[in-house]
Amino acid sequence: MRIVTATVVALTLTAAAAPAAVGAAPPSTDGVWRMDGYGTVLALGGGSLQEYQTTSAGCVKGDASRQTGPGTYTTTDGSVLTVRTGYDRDHAVYSADSSVGHRGLRRIAALPADCTRALPNDPRTAFDVFWQTFEENYPFFAAKGVDWHTVRDRYRPQVHKDTTRTELFDIFSRMVRPLHDAHVAVKDGDRVFYEVRPGTEVPSEELDAKVKKFIVARDLEHASYRQDFGNGRITYADLPGGQGYLRISGFGGYAGEGAPYSAEQAELDRALNTILTPGRVQRLRGLIIDLRINGGGADTLGIRIAERLTDTPYLAYSKRARNDPADPTRHTRPEPVPVVPADAPRYTGPVAVLTGGSTVSAGETFTQALLDRPGRTVRIGQATQGVFSDVMLRRLPDGMLFVLPNEEYLTRTGRTFDGTGIPPQLSEPVFTKEEFDQGRDSAFDRAVRTLPAA
């Protein structure tokens, strides 16, 4: 599961994002801003950015980020946030350095009254904030077949002034369990609850290590070259048939715990520059990209890889967010996210993408970014997990945390794959007990057979 934010240049920007006239100083961003969608108000000034999380049930103070430059702020985990005004001082655009999207801001006169007073710290208030946050932001109740009002009617009577923290955590967990949404979670200290799609497995470190050991021993036994990058999260090998094999187990964690996004990007670039040399991109007859165990991370890193796999600009996908608390069918204007060929050696030949139910989040948005890649691209394995959105991190008055999605990633025809995941074109079993027991890797073998060989 990921909690990510930030920006890549889109094909088009709204007028609010247009730059100020040459020679003119941009309007100050100090003040109070309401975000389009996301149930968020930002207060900027005094060298900080303070987040407030709003619903009709009240306002909860979120995280604060320190100002590190004009319109630039750094969070406690090292993420860089940017707020930029355009010609109109009352509209601005917010972005963060590891997300592909931008968020619109509208200046408001003052902090909402609800945000000037603390909410009561009692179980009923916590329940109301939790339920209302989903009610106003979650886009997928209809698709999941969940009546959220019935959920409230069932569980709210179980909450009273003497409900313990443990009991409340269990109630919240039971409320969201039927969603089977890996981007929905409840966290209280060391306790974490979330569910994956039925029939799929969480891409844990243990599973990743087991699969990697199996692949190295079986699939890469005769590779003429093999190297790991990014703390072992990226593996590349030259296969005997003239194809390349690129395994990516996540879009982050490359530069060590607590490393800023800039370090993650630099480590990915180092890996890509080592792998996609001018000589190799000329001689490769095909490239297998293995995302079958991929826990997600930063969408921008996936786009960065896609930019090394094309000579022609194209649309990866568009993003939109639910932005009407009363109507789950209303969204922000879709923002296109482009793939622009990198100024570096690029491989443009046939690609086989291996996916499965443990391909999650940014692993899925990268898969989606390759759907319309110019040139031959084939998907092999099983459907991905079915969670794409950046997640909203929310706090309750008692300090308990929860996360939920509010965005959709659209294909050029307006389709989303939330819930179902992106299906393969060629179906093969993925790391089943039978595959392990019999020493088979059917998806990998199908990819080798499908791609050209020397």
Side-chain angles (χ1 to χ4, degrees):
M1 180 181 56
R2 62 177 178 166
I3 301 174
V4 296
T5 45
T7 156
V8 98
V9 177
L11 292 172
T12 59
L13 295 179
T14 64
V22 175
S28 170
T29 58
D30 283 3
V32 183
W33 301 86
R34 186 179 296 279
M35 195 174 287
D36 186 10
Y38 302 91
T40 298
V41 169
L42 302 178
L44 279 62
S48 70
L49 178 155
Q50 177 63 59
E51 178 195 64
Y52 293 88
Q53 302 167 359
T54 64
T55 67
S56 61
C59 178
V60 178
K61 195 172 186 178
D63 291 332
S65 304
R66 61 184 176 86
Q67 188 166 11
T68 50
T72 304
Y73 304 83
T74 301
T75 67
T76 55
D77 67 359
S79 297
V80 177
L81 312 177
T82 303
V83 178
R84 292 283 185 264
T85 55
Y87 296 110
D88 182 347
R89 68 177 298 276
D90 291 328
H91 294 84
V93 172
Y94 165 101
S95 62
D97 62 356
S98 59
S99 174
V100 294
H102 301 75
R103 303 179 185 183
L105 301 176
R106 178 174 54 85
R107 191 187 295 273
I108 57 178
L111 203 61
D114 280 353
C115 297
T116 64
R117 52 181 178 265
L119 282 171
N121 183 7
D122 66 84
R124 271 284 175 99
T125 299
F127 180 96
D128 291 342
V129 171
F130 182 87
W131 184 88
Q132 197 67 38
T133 301
F134 278 86
E135 169 70 5
E136 295 184 9
N137 296 283
Y138 190 72
F140 307 124
F141 286 124
K144 301 282 187 176
V146 172
D147 185 331
W148 193 236
H149 288 252
T150 299
V151 171
R152 178 192 58 192
D153 295 343
R154 176 181 178 185
Y155 286 103
R156 195 172 190 273
Q158 299 178 27
V159 181
H160 49 79
K161 64 181 180 64
D162 296 322
T163 299
T164 68
R165 198 178 181 101
T166 297
E167 291 169 339
L168 193 61
F169 178 93
D170 291 339
I171 288 171
F172 290 157
S173 300
R174 293 197 298 273
M175 289 170 66
V176 299
R177 178 179 282 113
L179 298 174
H180 296 291
D181 189 326
H183 272 175
V184 170
V186 185
K187 185 177 189 302
D188 188 24
D190 292 334
R191 297 189 73 191
V192 179
F193 173 86
Y194 69 102
E195 285 276 300
V196 294
R197 180 163 56 82
T200 65
E201 190 171 357
V202 175
S204 64
E205 290 184 7
E206 293 77 16
L207 178 61
D208 181 47
K210 176 183 177 181
V211 166
K212 184 175 181 179
K213 181 179 179 181
F214 177 81
I215 287 172
V216 169
R218 182 198 184 274
D219 302 334
L220 308 185
E221 180 182 7
H222 301 296
S224 59
Y225 165 88
R226 177 171 65 85
Q227 186 172 351
D228 284 345
F229 305 89
N231 283 324
R233 307 205 78 186
I234 301 171
T235 298
Y236 177 80
D238 285 323
L239 302 178
Q243 303 115 338
Y245 171 85
L246 177 62
R247 181 175 186 267
I248 307 168
S249 65
F251 289 95
Y254 303 154
E257 187 175 351
Y261 173 76
S262 58
E264 302 282 358
Q265 180 177 291
E267 179 61 20
L268 175 62
D269 287 348
R270 185 184 76 83
L272 294 176
N273 290 335
T274 303
I275 295 165
L276 299 176
T277 62
R280 183 174 279 117
V281 298
Q282 289 298 318
R283 69 174 180 267
L284 275 182
R285 299 183 60 83
L287 178 64
I288 300 170
I289 301 178
D290 192 346
L291 307 172
R292 287 175 293 177
I293 310 298
N294 187 297
D299 293 336
T300 46
L301 297 179
I303 294 293
R304 206 162 184 86
I305 298 172
E307 291 173 343
R308 300 293 293 266
L309 301 175
T310 182
D311 282 341
T312 305
Y314 70 95
L315 179 69
Y317 42 73
S318 297
K319 282 184 67 171
R320 68 182 185 183
R322 178 179 168 184
N323 71 341
D324 188 331
D327 186 351
T329 68
R330 294 178 66 88
H331 302 85
T332 58
R333 178 180 298 178
E335 178 181 2
V337 176
V339 176
V340 179
D343 185 18
R346 301 181 296 271
Y347 170 76
T348 60
V351 170
V353 183
L354 308 185
T355 67
S358 297
T359 308
V360 180
S361 196
E364 302 184 80
T365 66
F366 176 55
T367 302
Q368 188 167 349
L370 298 181
L371 293 184
D372 291 320
R373 170 184 175 264
R376 182 182 172 200
T377 305
V378 60
R379 302 184 307 279
I380 301 175
Q382 295 292 309
T384 64
Q385 176 66 215
V387 291
F388 295 78
S389 173
D390 289 350
V391 297
M392 301 167 60
L393 172 63
R394 287 309 196 234
R395 300 181 182 277
L396 294 174
D398 62 2
M400 199 179 299
L401 304 176
F402 63 103
V403 298
L404 70 159
N406 71 324
E407 300 171 339
E408 294 178 339
Y409 284 53
L410 309 175
T411 67
R412 58 184 172 83
T413 60
R415 179 179 179 182
T416 71
F417 295 99
D418 286 284
T420 62
I422 300 174
Q425 294 161 298
L426 302 175
S427 182
E428 293 288 350
V430 172
F431 303 131
T432 62
K433 183 178 185 302
E434 291 75 20
E435 291 270 293
F436 280 125
D437 288 348
Q438 298 178 28
R440 293 197 315 249
D441 190 348
S442 299
F444 175 88
D445 291 349
R446 185 76 176 272
V448 171
R449 294 196 305 271
T450 301
L451 292 175

